[in-house]
Amino acid sequence: MKKGKKTIDINNGLGKWEITRSIIGLFLVFMAIYMISAFTSFLYSGASDYSMIDNSNFAEFYEQLTKHNIRARNVCGAFGASMAFNFIDGYFGLASYIIPIYLIMLGVKFLGSFKIRAIRMFILLGLMMIWLSWTLSAIGQDITAIGDLFYHIGGKSGEYVINLMTAIIGEPGVYGILILMAILLLIYFSKKTIMIIQSFFRMERLGILKNKLSERFDNDDEDEDTDDDIIETQPDPTSFENPKTQEINFTEEEKKEKLDIVNENSDNTDEDNEDAANELNSHNTIDLQPQPVNGTINFNTTIATTEAPVTPLSSNIGMQVDTVAPTTPASGDIKRGDINTPYDPKKDLEFYRYPALSLLNKGENNTPTIDMDEQNANKERIINVLHSFGVEISSIKATIGPTITLYEITPAEGMRISKIRNLEDDIALSLAAEGIRIIAPIPGKGTIGIEVPNKKKCIVSMESILNSRTYQESTMDLPCALGKTITNEVFMIDLAKAPHLLVAGATGMGKSVGLNAIVTSLLYKKHPSELKIVMVDPKKVEFSVYNPIENHFLAKLEEEEEPIITDVQKVVKTLNSLCQLMDTRYDLLKQAEVRNIKEYNAAFKARKLNPLQGHEYMPYYVVIIDEFGDLIMTAGKEIELPICRIAQLARAVGIHMIIATQRPTAQIITGTIKANFPARIAFRVAAMMDSRIILDRPGANQLIGRGDMLYLNGGDPTRVQCAFVDTPEVSNICKYISKQQGYAHAAYLPEPLADGENVGAGSNDADMKHLDPMFEECARLVVSTQQGSTSMLQRNFSIGYNRAGKLMDQLQKAGIVGAQINAKPREVLIQDMNTLERLLENLR
């Protein structure tokens, strides 16, 4: 780029596409103006051309004009007269004016003056034109008779449809359909229409109507009340020690004026209610006292010294009223933007419905059956084996679980625990069991546990877990329902407190089912505004069932097409993006002077944080990585470093990780990983060494498989039978969620920083003395599309991420785009090409 160059190449400055767009835009605007002129001229001068145009096409019409040597009266000539006749009289009537209006909007869009959603506007205006044509045709018969019009104001096609509908459903049906279409058009134009309709049919409106009706009936009896001109007050003896009786006389004009003000309070704001009530209360303090009249109690006044105003039901004297306690408005009446009400993130998708339990299959044998013959036989064998090795016991107790029975034995005094622990293989041989586990001693008890698999095992269904009181009444931030313990109790963990989870086990032992159970329990409990999930699936088939919930719960990089990440390089980029998100959230926590995401969201809901300063509601992020061993073998430290950084720091900002592997080796589950993943789930493994790597102790090698697992988080491991959720069940849940109200796209993660770039740096370090050769092309693309992101530059110019990042920094330094704010797109600061060209001229 030469600084001394002063000439500007027009083709390079605007580009071929920009020139073409401008030409198309000018042509559309010209056509719109021509159509408006032809239509308007047809309304005034079309009667003289009507006889020649009717029942003839344009060629015949033009031939008649040439033959008789006359000109069309329409200002736009024969073509304009024919076009106006066909559109106004033949097709849509006066609604045809919507066509040039749309052409003007589309033309201005092509010229780049302002942006519209062309397809959405086409659908909206098209439907509006059809509705308006039908409406004009429905009412056009009377208008045509009055005005003696020569054309059909709704068009012949609209009139034909209306006549057909009238013959089928009658006039009431026709007008009902037209009203319904109008409402649907308003709903398509703005979703606030639904809120207005809902507020109209609320019970509060019906209550006001009921009050007004009661006023009419009360007014019929006003002649019978002769002493109501004087409002008497008597204090309540139970409330005041020194009652004072006082009378207040109001003139008829005063009373009517004051009470009219109060009667209008139902349609006013709370501040207006207070003003009107305070004005009445300024006269005196009046207490409500029942007065017996003809055996009934009649309440004669309602003006009290409480803070909430009491609304009388009648504006005349002798009013009969009830005291109404102050009520809080219904949730539907609270506007989301009202700073006096708490912020509710669920209002973004207020029509979202949580999945139903009917989508899950009910297990046939959820409750374990007690086989006394089996229990007695196992008890006798355990006692005999221990006795044969010189171990005496004083008692034995059995607790039956879904797949395991726990036998608690109390050894006799003087018996060594280590002696019993060494008899594990002998007891397994005597019971002919798949594998037993000895817990010596059981934590918190003075007994030794021997876990023996049941001959008849029960399947723990996911439906029985999610339908339990433990899950339904849970207040955990991220509830993960895992299954049932040996005591047949629902076992749940709070991932927010875990805070990260390591899952390991041999192939086919239940890892994938366990991950599906965790995700399912989160989907049933959390709203899309509260939770986002990042899924990494190197096998490409395990998490594909979750694709339908992309716009509800999944998060990804903006340039990615698939919501489930399968490529190793994209995994690295995603993890770096999560690190940047973590750093950004910590900056927001620092500004808000809070310590964790829970305090931050509480402050944001209380509207103590200003969104204009970058603050926003923070959903929880759960990162689930399957086949972690494959990623480590492929990328190594490039994967491990961001995972360890997230595991060390991200808990406070609501980012939690779940990693799973079927190769629990020291090369995969390193010491750094184990140190940062205190919560671990071990399914059955082949060797004791693998169990020691996962749990730092044996035990996982003694499990029986099929969802049998050990959960460890700090103390001793807990044996749990994992809940079973089949793939068709997960598919049904995802399809149900996909049909609910959702966001326009998946949650976008922030763009990761380029190599060697720090958070907060970027545009300040951009080298403006040595601009990239593609700087001007990138600048023109950003301004013409009014979109600025690194991924867009990568896609359009086929360049690497580092170069695209440096180009974006130079654009920011030049003042073309704004700074990166969280995951939001950069703001384009220059709105037109002329301003950009002047800026580029100064930079040369």
Side-chain angles (χ1 to χ4, degrees):
M1 186 181 303
K2 297 181 181 180
K3 294 185 178 180
K5 187 176 180 180
K6 295 296 182 181
T7 60
I8 298 177
D9 189 350
I10 296 177
N11 292 329
N12 283 337
L14 292 177
K16 294 181 179 179
W17 170 236
E18 290 296 326
I19 297 174
T20 305
R21 284 183 57 178
S22 301
I23 294 173
I24 294 174
L26 290 173
F27 175 77
L28 291 174
V29 173
F30 169 77
M31 279 299 301
I33 297 174
Y34 182 84
M35 290 181 71
I36 293 175
S37 302
F39 290 171
T40 306
S41 178
F42 175 78
L43 300 180
Y44 294 99
S45 60
S48 58
D49 299 330
Y50 190 88
S51 59
M52 292 185 291
I53 300 175
D54 193 19
N55 298 322
S56 64
N57 54 31
F58 172 71
E60 295 174 349
F61 174 55
Y62 183 76
E63 184 180 353
Q64 291 182 24
L65 294 177
T66 307
K67 182 178 180 180
H68 296 88
N69 195 23
I70 58 176
R71 297 179 58 185
R73 298 291 299 277
N74 196 296
V75 295
C76 293
F79 179 80
S82 179
M83 177 181 61
F85 170 81
N86 289 324
F87 275 103
I88 294 180
D89 188 73
Y91 298 145
F92 306 108
L94 295 180
S96 302
Y97 273 93
I98 294 179
I99 298 175
I101 292 175
Y102 176 72
L103 291 179
I104 290 177
M105 298 173 66
L106 194 61
V108 176
K109 172 182 172 62
F110 273 97
L111 290 173
S113 298
F114 70 97
K115 296 187 292 184
I116 63 168
R117 297 173 62 180
I119 297 178
R120 183 177 185 273
M121 194 59 64
F122 175 82
I123 296 173
L124 179 63
L125 293 180
L127 294 174
M128 186 181 298
M129 183 171 61
I130 294 173
W131 173 82
L132 185 57
S133 173
W134 291 2
T135 304
L136 291 174
S137 297
I139 64 176
Q141 190 172 8
D142 297 334
I143 296 178
T144 304
I146 295 173
D148 193 21
L149 299 177
F150 65 92
Y151 58 89
H152 301 80
I153 64 172
K156 292 180 180 178
S157 61
E159 190 172 273
Y160 173 78
V161 172
I162 291 299
N163 291 336
L164 182 63
M165 292 172 61
T166 304
I168 297 174
I169 59 177
E171 289 189 3
V174 170
Y175 285 104
I177 290 177
L178 292 176
I179 293 174
L180 182 61
M181 286 183 63
I183 295 174
L184 293 177
L185 280 172
L186 291 174
I187 292 174
Y188 186 81
F189 181 77
S190 175
K191 293 181 179 179
K192 292 182 179 179
T193 307
I194 300 176
M195 300 174 61
I196 296 172
I197 296 174
Q198 287 178 340
S199 63
F200 180 81
F201 288 99
R202 284 199 185 99
M203 294 306 295
E204 290 84 353
R205 299 272 184 181
L206 299 179
I208 294 172
L209 179 61
K210 180 181 177 181
N211 291 343
K212 291 183 177 180
L213 291 175
S214 64
E215 291 176 12
R216 296 286 183 90
F217 289 109
D218 290 340
N219 292 341
D220 295 338
D221 300 331
E222 64 178 353
D223 294 335
E224 299 179 6
D225 301 326
T226 57
D227 299 330
D228 288 329
D229 289 338
I230 301 176
I231 301 179
E232 297 181 357
T233 65
Q234 296 181 3
D236 188 355
T238 60
S239 303
F240 302 98
E241 293 183 359
N242 298 319
K244 295 182 180 180
T245 303
Q246 191 172 10
E247 292 185 358
I248 298 179
N249 294 329
F250 291 110
T251 65
E252 189 66 22
E253 290 77 16
E254 274 184 321
K255 190 177 299 183
K256 187 172 183 180
E257 180 183 356
K258 303 299 181 184
L259 294 177
D260 282 344
I261 294 175
V262 180
N263 280 334
E264 293 173 358
N265 286 342
S266 58
D267 295 328
N268 294 339
T269 61
D270 292 337
E271 294 179 0
D272 296 332
N273 292 345
E274 275 187 71
D275 295 339
N278 291 336
E279 186 176 359
L280 280 173
N281 290 337
S282 63
H283 292 280
N284 206 347
T285 300
I286 306 177
D287 182 38
L288 184 66
Q289 183 68 17
Q291 301 291 334
V293 179
N294 296 329
T296 61
I297 296 179
N298 205 16
F299 292 96
N300 284 327
T301 82
T302 65
I303 307 174
T305 57
T306 57
E307 294 181 358
V310 181
T311 306
L313 299 180
S314 176
S315 60
N316 297 313
I317 56 175
M319 53 193 171
Q320 182 176 355
V321 299
D322 296 323
T323 57
V324 181
T327 58
T328 57
S331 58
D333 292 335
I334 298 176
K335 295 182 179 180
R336 185 165 177 256
D338 188 359
I339 61 173
N340 296 321
T341 60
Y343 172 81
D344 185 5
K346 297 181 182 180
K347 285 290 185 180
D348 290 337
L349 303 178
E350 59 180 334
F351 299 108
Y352 174 83
R353 295 294 176 265
Y354 291 86
L357 290 175
S358 59
L359 299 172
L360 298 171
N361 298 329
K362 292 187 177 181
E364 297 179 358
N365 52 348
N366 285 328
T367 305
T369 58
I370 300 176
D371 188 348
M372 292 307 300
D373 294 336
E374 178 186 352
Q375 301 303 322
N376 291 327
N378 288 342
K379 182 188 72 172
E380 293 299 330
R381 289 171 184 166
I382 292 173
I383 293 174
N384 291 335
V385 170
L386 294 176
H387 180 72
S388 63
F389 286 96
V391 177
E392 300 294 334
I393 62 175
S394 58
S395 65
I396 183 170
K397 174 186 175 184
T399 303
I400 303 174
T403 56
I404 300 296
T405 298
L406 173 64
Y407 295 92
E408 297 183 41
I409 62 173
T410 304
E413 293 186 6
M415 288 292 106
R416 287 177 171 268
I417 295 178
S418 59
K419 190 175 182 179
I420 300 175
R421 188 184 292 116
N422 294 332
L423 298 175
E424 185 175 295
D425 294 334
D426 299 289
I427 296 174
L429 178 63
S430 173
L431 297 175
E434 301 176 41
I436 67 170
R437 193 170 76 101
I438 294 180
I439 309 172
I442 296 177
K445 296 182 179 181
T447 58
I448 296 174
I450 302 176
E451 296 176 346
V452 181
N454 297 334
K455 290 183 179 180
K456 186 178 181 181
K457 302 174 179 62
C458 296
I459 297 177
V460 179
S461 66
M462 196 68 199
E463 190 272 342
S464 64
I465 301 295
L466 301 186
N467 201 21
S468 64
R469 178 174 295 182
T470 305
Y471 179 82
Q472 295 291 338
E473 298 179 355
S474 171
T475 57
M476 297 178 179
D477 294 322
L478 292 174
C480 298
L482 299 181
K484 288 187 178 181
T485 62
I486 293 177
T487 58
N488 214 37
E489 296 176 351
V490 175
F491 185 80
M492 293 178 58
I493 64 170
D494 188 356
L495 186 59
K497 295 181 179 179
H500 310 287
L501 186 62
L502 172 64
V503 182
T507 303
M509 293 297 108
K511 293 190 311 300
S512 297
V513 175
L515 293 177
N516 286 335
I518 292 174
V519 175
T520 300
S521 58
L522 291 173
L523 295 181
Y524 267 86
K525 202 72 172 178
K526 306 304 290 183
H527 190 271
S529 63
E530 301 173 325
L531 174 67
K532 299 299 174 186
I533 303 175
V534 179
M535 290 187 169
V536 178
D537 182 16
K539 290 197 297 188
K540 304 181 181 180
V541 294
E542 291 294 339
F543 293 150
S544 59
V545 70
Y546 295 103
N547 279 323
I549 62 173
E550 173 184 356
N551 294 349
H552 295 81
F553 286 100
L554 299 187
K556 64 175 184 177
L557 293 170
E558 183 177 359
E559 67 269 16
E560 299 298 332
E561 296 181 359
E562 297 294 330
I564 310 299
I565 306 164
T566 57
D567 184 46
V568 176
Q569 295 303 321
K570 294 179 181 179
V571 174
V572 176
K573 192 174 179 181
T574 301
L575 292 175
N576 291 329
S577 175
L578 289 167
C579 290
Q580 183 177 344
L581 175 65
M582 176 185 68
D583 294 333
T584 303
R585 286 192 167 190
Y586 267 113
D587 292 338
L588 294 176
L589 261 63
K590 180 181 178 182
Q591 296 176 16
E593 298 180 351
V594 294
R595 296 180 58 187
N596 53 53
I597 185 175
K598 204 167 185 178
E599 296 177 3
Y600 179 90
N601 284 339
F604 190 85
K605 287 181 178 179
R607 302 189 184 274
K608 297 179 181 178
L609 304 176
N610 189 355
L612 298 179
Q613 297 177 357
H615 292 288
E616 59 183 0
Y617 182 82
M618 294 184 183
Y620 284 94
Y621 275 78
V622 177
V623 186
I624 305 177
I625 303 177
D626 195 16
E627 298 300 336
F628 175 67
D630 182 70
L631 295 179
I632 288 293
M633 291 179 61
T634 308
K637 292 292 183 182
E638 202 173 0
I639 288 284
E640 185 178 357
L641 289 177
I643 286 180
C644 291
R645 188 161 182 262
I646 292 172
Q648 289 171 351
L649 300 173
R651 171 183 180 177
V653 292
I655 303 176
H656 306 275
M657 297 197 71
I658 301 174
I659 61 175
T661 180
Q662 62 180 3
R663 300 182 58 223
T665 62
Q667 290 76 22
I668 304 300
I669 306 177
T670 62
T672 308
I673 293 292
K674 291 171 64 176
N676 292 293
F677 284 79
R680 303 169 199 170
I681 292 177
F683 292 89
R684 185 179 181 179
V685 294
M688 182 186 298
M689 184 59 66
D690 295 338
S691 178
R692 290 186 180 276
I693 292 175
I694 305 170
L695 303 174
D696 297 324
R697 69 196 74 194
N701 57 309
Q702 299 166 327
L703 301 175
I704 63 174
R706 299 187 63 183
D708 190 17
M709 69 181 193
L710 291 173
Y711 173 77
L712 175 69
N713 193 359
D716 293 306
T718 303
R719 193 165 187 173
V720 179
Q721 177 60 40
C722 182
F724 178 74
V725 53
D726 204 359
T727 303
E729 297 177 73
V730 179
S731 178
N732 292 336
I733 295 170
C734 293
K735 288 179 181 177
Y736 177 88
I737 293 176
S738 66
K739 296 177 182 178
Q740 302 300 313
Q741 183 185 16
Y743 297 101
H745 52 75
Y748 289 149
L749 297 172
E751 296 179 5
L753 300 176
D755 296 338
E757 189 177 356
N758 297 322
V759 177
S763 61
N764 294 330
D765 301 331
D767 187 5
M768 300 303 293
K769 296 181 180 179
H770 302 86
L771 294 177
D772 192 282
M774 300 182 68
F775 176 79
E776 291 192 9
E777 295 182 61
C778 294
R780 294 187 181 100
L781 175 66
V782 168
V783 174
S784 62
T785 59
Q786 289 296 302
Q787 295 177 359
S789 67
T790 306
S791 58
M792 184 188 71
L793 298 183
Q794 288 181 263
R795 292 194 301 270
N796 285 274
F797 297 103
S798 300
I799 58 178
Y801 177 77
N802 291 342
R803 185 179 182 185
K806 292 178 181 178
L807 276 166
M808 191 58 65
D809 292 338
Q810 291 178 350
L811 292 173
Q812 179 181 345
K813 187 72 174 179
I816 298 174
V817 298
Q820 179 72 41
I821 302 177
N822 300 335
K824 301 176 182 177
R826 291 176 183 261
E827 180 186 3
V828 181
L829 304 179
I830 296 180
Q831 304 299 324
D832 59 273
M833 298 299 297
N834 293 332
T835 305
L836 174 65
E837 291 300 329
R838 289 195 296 269
L839 176 62
L840 296 178
E841 184 71 21
N842 295 331
L843 292 175
R844 293 190 180 103

